[in-house]
Amino acid sequence: MRSLILTHLEYLELRQITPEELDEWVHALFEIENKAPATVRKTFHIASSVLDYAVVLRKLPANPALVGIVLPAVEEREMPFLEVC
């Protein structure tokens, strides 16, 4: 997960991470790198937690990840069960 975050955002300073940058990053993970929706969501939530901590430390005024970034939907799959006859 760390490499998925760093490869896209490491060149930015904290104050340069905007909702637009995050949206482009999510799009790249899902559409270009073909990462599974669950992987994209987990990675995004880790990055959001780091940005939350930056707000606590007063390195950012607000978390840019909390501004309507659309994440890919995870499909619910029905669990198969064996039937007893």
Side-chain angles (χ1 to χ4, degrees):
M1 299 276 178
R2 180 179 181 192
S3 65
L4 294 177
I5 297 169
L6 290 179
T7 55
H8 293 274
L9 302 177
E10 70 180 341
Y11 66 94
L12 297 172
E13 293 183 21
L14 277 175
R15 67 181 184 278
Q16 294 175 310
I17 300 174
T18 63
E20 294 80 17
E21 286 286 342
L22 293 173
D23 197 46
E24 289 176 20
W25 170 57
V26 167
H27 174 77
L29 287 177
F30 186 61
E31 297 291 335
I32 298 169
E33 295 185 23
N34 297 315
K35 299 299 179 191
T39 301
V40 174
R41 293 176 77 85
K42 288 175 192 171
T43 305
F44 179 83
H45 291 301
I46 291 168
S48 181
S49 294
V50 171
L51 294 169
D52 276 339
Y53 190 58
V55 172
V56 170
L57 295 177
R58 297 185 180 153
K59 303 292 183 183
L60 285 175
N63 183 344
L66 300 179
V67 184
I69 308 296
V70 178
L71 300 175
V74 177
E75 292 181 24
E76 295 291 325
R77 289 188 276 167
E78 189 174 323
M79 298 294 290
F81 292 97
L82 297 176
E83 293 184 27
V84 178
C85 298

